[in-house]
Amino acid sequence: MVNYYSDRRILVTGGAGFLGSHLCERLLSDGHEVICVDNCFTGPKQNIERLLGHPKFEFIRHDITLPLCLEMDEIYNLACPASPVHYQYNPIKTIKTNIHGALNMLGLAKRTKSKILQASTSEVYGDPTVHPQPESYWGRVNPIGIRSCYDEGKRCAETLFFDYHRQHGLNIKVARIFNTYGPRMHPNDGRVVSNFIVQALKGHPLTVYGDGSQTRSFCYVDDLVDGLIRVMNSRDGFTGPVNLGNPGEFTIRELAETIIDMTGSGSKIDFKPLPSDDPTQRKPDIALAKKEMGWEPKVGLEPGLEKTIGYFRGLIA
Ligand SMILES: NC(=O)c1ccc[n+]([C@@H]2O[C@H](COP(=O)([O-])OP(=O)(O)OC[C@H]3O[C@@H](n4cnc5c(N)ncnc54)[C@H](O)[C@@H]3O)[C@@H](O)[C@H]2O)c1
C-alpha cells in the first residue's frame, strides 16, 4: 500500500488476547496505526478497552477462518486460543483457526505485499528428547492426541508460511513462543501461572499435576512483546523460526511454592494425576534470537510475578 506517513499500518490478529493486547499497546506507543482483528473467543473486549478511543486504533470483530479484505504493511498473526482448556473446547475449530486462518492471512499478505509474522509455539517441539530445544530440533509430537489440534495446527501453519515464502517470495517471520505470563492472562484458562496465582489469592489449594518435578520456563509479557517486534524488524532474508522465551528453568513445584510465598497465602499444594502428552521439560535455546536480534529477556521471575499478582489481586477484588 502507499504509505504517506513514516509510521506503518499494522494488523494484529488475536489483538484482544493476552499477548495481542500488549502488542497493540506497544505498537501504538511506537507511533504506528493498529488494526486489531479478533472474534473475542478468549480475548475479552476489556483487554483493549482503553485503546478503543485512540485515533490510530481500530477494532474489527472478525473470525480469521473467514477471508478478510484490508490494506496494511505488516501482519502479526496471533489469533488462536492458547491454553489447553480453550483450544480443546472445540478442537476442530482450533485447527481451522490455525490452518484456514493462516491461509487467509498469508493470502492477504500476498495481495498487499505485507510482511507477516506467525506466532508459533514451543508446542511444535512436543515432548522433546533434546534439551534445551534449539530451532533445528524437529520435535516429538503426538499427531492424534488431545493436544494435537493445537500442536499439529501450529506445525502445519509453519509449513504454510514457509511454502508461501518459497513459492510466492512472501516476506515471512516465524517466532516460536515459549510459556509467557503477565497481566491480562485469562483467570480461568488453566495456564499454570494464572491458575496458581488465582488459587493462592483465593486461599484454595494449588493444583500440581504429577509430582511437580516437570520443568517450565516463564517469560514476562513485556520481554516477549519486545522479542516479537524485533523478529518482525529483523534483517531481510531472516525468516526464523526463532525461539522467544526465558531460559530460566523452574520446576512446577518451585513455581507453586514461590507464588504461595509471594502472595502470603496459606494455600497448600494438591497433587493430581498428570494429563496425557504433558511435556516433562521445556526450555528455550535462545542463542539464535541473541545473535540475530540481540534479544534476551530482562525481567526476572519474581519482578514479573509481582506485577502479575498485582493484576490478579485487582481483578479478584
Ligand atoms: N501465551 C503464551 O504463553 C503463548 C505460548 C506460545 C504461543 N502463543 C501463541 O501466541 C498467540 C496469542 O496467545 P495468547 O496467550 O495471547 O492467547 P489468547 O487466547 O489470550 O489470545 C488469542 C486471541 O485470539 C483470538 N481468536 C481465537 N480464535 C480466533 C479466530 N478464529 N479468529 C479471530 N480471533 C481469534 C481470541 O479471541 C484471543 O483474543 C497464540 O497464537 C498462541 O498460540 C502463546
Side-chain angles (χ1 to χ4, degrees):
M1 72 178 263
V2 182
N3 196 339
Y4 297 100
Y5 307 95
S6 57
D7 50 10
R8 282 162 276 166
R9 184 184 293 168
I10 302 178
L11 169 63
V12 179
T13 77
F18 159 51
L19 295 181
S21 60
H22 286 274
L23 177 63
C24 288
E25 241 170 53
R26 166 73 195 274
L27 293 170
L28 285 170
S29 75
D30 289 349
H32 303 298
E33 210 177 307
V34 173
I35 306 175
C36 163
V37 164
D38 203 297
N39 68 355
C40 296
F41 173 47
T42 53
K45 245 174 122 181
Q46 291 95 292
N47 279 352
I48 48 163
E49 212 165 29
R50 87 203 77 170
L51 306 181
L52 291 173
H54 194 293
K56 289 189 170 181
F57 183 76
E58 206 176 332
F59 170 65
I60 302 174
R61 190 185 283 253
H62 174 83
D63 192 311
I64 62 154
T65 59
L66 302 167
L68 180 67
C69 194
L70 288 170
E71 308 298 318
M72 78 295 298
D73 307 290
E74 290 175 0
I75 304 172
Y76 287 84
N77 187 36
L78 269 63
C80 179
S83 75
V85 185
H86 289 137
Y87 69 63
Q88 286 163 10
Y89 172 76
N90 184 345
I92 297 171
K93 175 72 190 205
T94 301
I95 299 198
K96 281 187 180 167
T97 298
N98 275 313
I99 297 175
H100 294 196
L103 284 167
N104 285 328
M105 290 309 118
L106 286 162
L108 190 58
K110 181 171 168 247
R111 182 179 64 75
T112 56
K113 299 187 173 51
S114 300
K115 191 163 33 162
I116 181 166
L117 178 147
Q118 167 68 356
S120 190
T121 169
S122 56
E123 300 291 334
V124 300
Y125 300 122
D127 190 1
T129 51
V130 170
H131 193 71
Q133 294 84 53
E135 293 82 354
S136 54
Y137 178 55
W138 289 354
R140 193 166 76 101
V141 177
N142 175 358
I144 57 168
I146 55 169
R147 301 171 76 109
S148 313
C149 58
Y150 183 75
D151 303 4
E152 295 289 23
K154 288 284 187 182
R155 284 168 71 94
C156 184
E158 284 199 11
T159 309
L160 285 167
F161 268 67
F162 278 86
D163 282 334
Y164 265 77
H165 172 64
R166 283 184 287 258
Q167 204 172 324
H168 296 299
L170 235 68
N171 193 353
I172 62 153
K173 309 278 176 188
V174 174
R176 290 183 179 157
I177 304 170
F178 284 65
N179 243 340
T180 302
Y181 70 98
R184 286 190 227 136
M185 291 180 89
H186 201 291
N188 304 318
D189 69 2
R191 283 196 259 188
V192 66
V193 174
S194 45
N195 230 23
F196 283 175
I197 295 177
V198 172
Q199 288 173 326
L201 290 176
K202 289 185 171 170
H204 297 166
L206 273 65
T207 318
V208 167
Y209 296 100
D211 62 2
S213 62
Q214 66 274 40
T215 65
R216 293 291 184 276
S217 62
F218 304 100
C219 186
Y220 188 64
V221 62
D222 290 354
D223 282 333
L224 196 278
V225 164
D226 182 55
L228 286 177
I229 291 173
R230 285 177 191 237
V231 176
M232 181 63 101
N233 295 321
S234 59
R235 67 176 165 84
D236 277 351
F238 178 72
T239 56
V242 57
N243 289 337
L244 294 180
N246 193 320
E249 194 178 10
F250 299 88
T251 67
I252 293 296
R253 195 185 176 126
E254 277 171 330
L255 178 73
E257 287 165 354
T258 308
I259 289 176
I260 290 176
D261 200 39
M262 288 179 71
T263 50
S265 164
S267 296
K268 300 268 174 291
I269 298 180
D270 185 16
F271 294 95
K272 294 232 169 106
L274 208 58
S276 64
D277 295 344
D278 195 51
T280 47
Q281 280 187 317
R282 237 350 131 49
K283 173 179 166 167
D285 176 335
I286 58 164
L288 182 63
K290 270 190 196 165
K291 180 176 148 257
E292 276 294 332
M293 293 130 28
W295 179 85
E296 62 183 317
K298 294 188 174 66
V299 183
L301 185 64
E302 294 212 358
L305 284 177
E306 200 73 60
K307 291 187 188 173
T308 315
I309 291 169
Y311 167 77
F312 280 108
R313 252 189 230 288
L315 204 68
I316 287 168

